[in-house]
Amino acid sequence: MRVLVIEDEPKIGAALKRGLEQEGYAVDLIVDSDAGLRYLLTEPYDVALIDRMLPGSMDGVEICRAARKKGNSTPVIMLTAKSAIHDRIEGLDAGADDYLPKPFAFEEVVARIRAVLRRPQVVQGEILTCRDLEMDPANHLVRRAGKELTLSTTEYSLLEYLLRRSPHVASKDDIIAHVWDFDADVLPNTVEVYIGYLRSKIDKTFSPALIHTVRGVGYSLH
């Protein structure tokens, strides 16, 4: 899953990027409001973490408000040192989905990301499932028919995206946009390679096959 972090404090931004990447997310880190809004409006992010106080022509609340006016529905978690009730209300009224005051524990950031990702998805609840395949995002576990599977970071992220899209088809372009970050040099055949890796772990020794190729369109999990 792909995350946009708009944060100008170097230590916080770097820590969020490093930590989220270790959790398997693709992360783009932007340090000013104008570039942040541009990325939010033009790239397909699954969630955005936006600092309230930012350099540039607007603050985090104004970024959120502008994005919502443009019809952008990316879940937004506002990060800020301003924790007064009226500040939280202003952020939520501008379209933010959650509000996390600084200082915060990284584990809580990850938990809140999981929470906002659950809200609009077809698959609800703590565990993502497709037939006898289960993914537990909180504990980073994947099982099929009760057997625990070992996936690489990219394989896990790809499977999570397919599960959250299930049973709908995900195109190669969609997969690239949501599984890899903006700076990654990824080609369509890279997606084919990782689909092959997943099939060898998810489908090879199990029945029925869950990953399906829709020729000329992409892949679906059902």
Side-chain angles (χ1 to χ4, degrees), residues 1-2 45-47 73-75 113-129 137 159-168 178:
M1 308 301 282
R2 190 173 176 189
Y45 293 103
D46 297 290
V47 63
S73 59
T74 302
I113 288 175
R114 289 197 301 265
V116 298
L117 285 175
R118 284 198 300 270
R119 293 174 191 169
Q121 307 301 330
V122 174
V123 182
Q124 298 293 330
E126 291 290 340
I127 307 299
L128 305 176
T129 63
L159 180 60
E160 181 178 5
Y161 182 64
L162 292 175
L163 276 166
R164 292 187 184 279
R165 286 286 304 237
S166 178
H168 303 293
H178 287 266

